[in-house]
Amino acid sequence: MPSRPQSGSSASDAAAIGREQTRQRVIEAAIDLLTRGGRDAVTTRAVADAAGLQPPAIYRLFGDKDGLLDAVAEHGFAAFLATKHIEPDPRDLIADLRSGWDVAVEFGLTNPALYTLMYSEPTRATSAAFKAGMEILMGRIRRLAAGGWLRVDEELAAQIIHATARGAVLTWLSLPKHRRNPALLTTLRESMVTAVTNQQPAVRDTGPAGAARALRAALPEQTPLSSAEQHLLREWLDRLAADG
């Protein structure tokens, strides 16, 4: 018997699935070219040939080459996100910070061309996967702050952690293999830990800065305070924390 024609919604769903599969095939072809030949190897024609398509298909799917590279970078951020282990209540917050930093650096060293593309454009910080990864990092930082371990403001801590990991990877990749000393990575990691954390929880100290950071991090979303009172309290805590 002849098959029944697909309904409009079924046909539309099948077309969307087919389009996504083709899109993924193009991204994987681009990543393969990027890995083997660097960014210059990722031309529209080369990617189309590798994916078994005509070049106009690339433009229909991604708009232009920059759109394709953005999609490749987003794929990289998603792959990086998948490597992150989320421990909701780590026993050792400093060890958890070190572990997260090591995971980030290891991903970059394992995927040098992809990592370089991911961080070559500041605008890629708007990536959904990048934002999700930063939320994991901010979760680590908030736990440090709540425990009195954080030495600097949360936003500055995130910038230091992110900058040292990215700098470690890009510096390592820029060096000839015979000059790559593992001590570079260890030293940068420990410098990061020293810069953002206290040797002992600051809430045990007599000064108000550590206690202010801990209280600021521990404040719940819902409190008996009015919006104006919450704003004023956070302003006070920010000023006290900055004095440390």
Side-chain angles (χ1 to χ4, degrees):
M1 294 178 60
S3 60
R4 294 181 180 179
Q6 292 181 306
S7 66
S9 61
S10 297
S12 176
D13 290 345
I17 292 171
R19 178 183 175 87
E20 184 55 34
Q21 290 174 339
T22 301
R23 191 174 185 276
Q24 190 62 31
R25 190 166 81 246
V26 172
I27 290 172
E28 290 171 357
I31 290 174
D32 182 61
L33 289 168
L34 180 69
T35 302
R36 291 189 290 111
R39 184 166 178 160
D40 289 344
V42 187
T43 65
T44 303
R45 180 168 297 279
V47 172
D49 288 345
L53 300 170
Q54 294 298 316
I58 306 297
Y59 294 98
R60 287 195 298 271
L61 290 167
F62 302 98
D64 55 20
K65 181 180 174 180
D66 288 339
L68 171 59
L69 292 176
D70 286 342
V72 170
E74 175 67 16
H75 180 90
F77 286 123
F80 177 36
L81 183 62
T83 69
K84 291 176 176 283
H85 173 68
I86 305 174
E87 176 59 57
D89 189 22
R91 296 180 62 182
D92 188 329
L93 296 176
I94 305 298
D96 185 58
L97 175 62
R98 286 191 176 98
S99 176
W101 194 91
D102 286 343
V103 167
V105 170
E106 180 61 28
F107 180 85
L109 300 184
T110 304
N111 305 277
L114 180 58
Y115 186 91
T116 303
L117 175 67
M118 288 161 57
Y119 291 105
S120 63
E121 301 289 342
T123 55
R124 295 201 175 110
T126 60
S127 154
F130 176 85
K131 290 180 178 179
M134 287 301 294
E135 276 303 308
I136 293 174
L137 173 60
M138 293 309 298
R140 284 193 169 99
I141 292 171
R142 290 186 195 107
R143 287 192 291 271
L144 287 165
W149 291 99
L150 199 61
R151 186 175 184 176
V152 297
D153 179 80
E154 292 177 39
E155 182 62 26
L156 178 58
Q159 293 171 4
I160 292 171
I161 295 165
H162 193 59
T164 52
R166 188 190 303 186
V169 172
L170 297 180
T171 300
W172 180 275
L173 295 177
S174 72
L175 295 171
K177 288 186 178 181
H178 70 276
R179 292 184 56 200
R180 293 176 178 177
N181 185 344
L184 169 67
L185 305 180
T186 304
T187 302
L188 284 173
R189 184 190 65 195
E190 294 310 304
S191 296
M192 175 275 298
V193 171
T194 300
V196 303
T197 65
N198 297 305
Q199 292 184 349
Q200 296 293 330
V203 289
R204 298 177 185 174
D205 298 339
T206 56
R213 293 189 190 104
L215 177 56
R216 183 178 57 189
L219 283 175
E221 291 292 330
Q222 302 296 327
T223 74
L225 302 177
S226 69
S227 296
E229 289 169 338
Q230 290 183 55
H231 178 79
L232 184 59
L233 176 58
R234 290 188 181 278
E235 181 178 344
W236 287 344
L237 292 175
D238 286 344
R239 289 166 62 183
L240 286 170
D243 289 339

